[in-house]
Amino acid sequence: LARAIVRRFKTVRASVIALVCITFIGSMFIANDMALLTFLPLGYIILSSTGEEGYLAFTFVMQNIAANLGGMLTPFGNPQNLYLYSKFSIPDGEFMLIMLPPFLISIALIILCCFVFIKPEEIKIKDEPFTLPKLRTAAYLLLFALSIAIVFRGIPYYIGLIIIPAVLLFLDRKALCKVDYPLLLTFVFFFIFSGNMARIPAVQTLFQSLLSRSTLLVSILCCQCISNVPSAILLSPFTADYASLLVGVNIGGTGTLIASLASLITFREYTRHYPGRTGSYIGLFSLFNFGFLILLTTFQAVFFS
């Protein structure tokens, strides 16, 4: 797939835009976290194989933003969308109309950044023979299809929870050892914290007061501290303005590293390849993420508040 992208698009700029767009579209259908787990390695392969690693940090940051903001359009694009979609029983058409304006602005900003910060340099990739293991490839494609069916709520999640680890134990048990369990536990504790905080009377009074003033801003700021999914769980009992809350917890996925689980996935993937460049990556990540956060918040507050 990496070779096909390089041959078709021929320049660094066009290839990176293709990568970002694939991630953006993928997050709409298979959720932002899964899109990053799928397409970040593809970005690394393309840029490392063509000697363009200098653009890798920028590409990862753009893929991360694309995953967070691309997933906002559909109820199953981001986990917080699924939760709010179900809790408030939001009609499909209304859901997409609420999210369409920030979605379109996000597309324009991401493509603009790629045009401004990446040169249209020609790239080539070595044409080396390779073969895929047929059995494992077929098994992973089936497991991937099963995962997508679970995201679309066509199959109960517990079926995947049983089948996928069982198949991996047989075909590739080393993969189970590579799962970032501490990261998953971190977010489990975020969810527990959010649920417990929402039950404290003083906290209930505080959030009811704050959300009555600006649901959009409070939800965005909350995401910067405890991430977007826990924020949706924490704030949803205290407001009926689900439109502002929905936009806030999606826009709020940009900003700090912990504003979205997807951002931590991207950070871990980058530092796995370049452990000595953590500081420069966080600086670049913060610059673009807070830039997007400020622009999208201003747009939403001015035109849709």
Side-chain angles (χ1 to χ4, degrees):
L1 185 57
R3 292 172 184 173
I5 288 174
V6 171
R7 288 178 188 141
R8 178 175 292 273
F9 295 100
K10 295 182 174 58
T11 67
V12 185
R13 178 190 287 168
S15 297
V16 169
I17 290 175
L19 277 169
V20 172
C21 288
I22 289 172
T23 309
F24 198 93
I25 295 169
S27 67
M28 294 167 56
F29 297 102
I30 61 174
N32 57 349
D33 301 334
M34 194 186 295
L36 286 172
L37 290 170
T38 306
F39 298 119
L40 285 175
L42 180 62
Y44 173 75
I45 291 170
I46 288 176
L47 295 174
S48 62
S49 299
T50 56
E52 299 290 348
E53 292 99 327
Y55 288 112
L56 187 64
F58 174 84
T59 302
F60 271 27
V61 169
M62 285 297 109
Q63 284 185 279
N64 181 84
I65 293 173
N68 279 326
L69 299 179
M72 75 167 76
L73 185 64
T74 58
F76 40 79
N78 289 327
Q80 68 271 17
N81 288 6
L82 272 175
Y83 171 75
L84 295 175
Y85 171 73
S86 299
K87 179 175 178 59
F88 292 102
S89 300
I90 307 172
D92 294 341
E94 182 184 356
F95 186 102
M96 298 186 75
L97 282 175
I98 291 170
M99 302 310 302
L100 186 61
F103 175 82
L104 294 176
I105 293 295
S106 300
I107 294 174
L109 288 174
I110 290 169
I111 298 299
L112 178 63
C113 286
C114 291
F115 268 97
V116 171
F117 293 101
I118 300 182
K119 297 178 181 178
E121 300 170 345
E122 185 178 358
I123 55 171
K124 294 181 180 180
I125 193 168
K126 292 181 180 179
D127 191 12
E128 298 174 350
F130 69 96
T131 56
L132 292 173
K134 294 181 180 179
L135 176 61
R136 187 174 293 184
T137 301
Y140 277 132
L141 286 173
L142 289 172
L143 295 180
F144 189 65
L146 175 62
S147 300
I148 294 173
I150 291 170
V151 171
F152 275 90
R153 291 185 283 185
I155 298 175
Y157 74 89
Y158 59 82
I159 293 178
L161 192 60
I162 295 170
I163 293 176
I164 293 172
V167 174
L168 288 175
L169 276 172
F170 179 73
L171 285 181
D172 191 6
R173 65 183 62 186
K174 290 182 180 179
L176 293 173
C177 299
K178 296 179 181 178
V179 175
D180 197 338
Y181 294 106
L183 179 62
L184 293 179
L185 284 173
T186 298
F187 279 84
V188 167
F189 291 130
F190 270 145
F191 298 142
I192 295 171
F193 169 79
S194 300
N196 288 338
M197 288 292 288
R199 293 179 176 88
I200 300 174
V203 173
Q204 293 175 353
T205 302
L206 174 64
F207 279 121
Q208 285 170 348
S209 173
L210 292 174
L211 289 166
S212 65
R213 299 179 184 180
S214 178
T215 300
L216 177 71
L217 292 178
V218 171
S219 57
I220 289 172
L221 291 173
C222 190
C223 291
Q224 306 311 305
C225 302
I226 64 169
S227 184
N228 47 12
V229 183
S231 294
I233 296 170
L234 176 64
L235 300 177
S236 59
F238 310 121
T239 182
D241 185 6
Y242 59 77
S244 296
L245 179 61
L246 185 60
V247 174
V249 295
N250 277 276
I251 291 176
T254 55
T256 63
L257 260 180
I258 63 168
S260 171
L261 171 62
S263 299
L264 288 177
I265 290 172
T266 307
F267 175 72
R268 292 295 182 90
E269 181 68 15
Y270 183 81
T271 54
R272 185 168 68 87
H273 297 296
Y274 301 104
R277 301 181 188 177
T278 302
S280 60
Y281 175 83
I282 292 176
L284 189 69
F285 174 92
S286 300
L287 176 66
F288 281 100
N289 271 267
F290 279 106
F292 271 76
L293 181 64
I294 292 168
L295 290 173
L296 289 171
T297 302
T298 302
F299 169 80
Q300 194 68 27
V302 170
F303 294 102
F304 295 94
S305 60

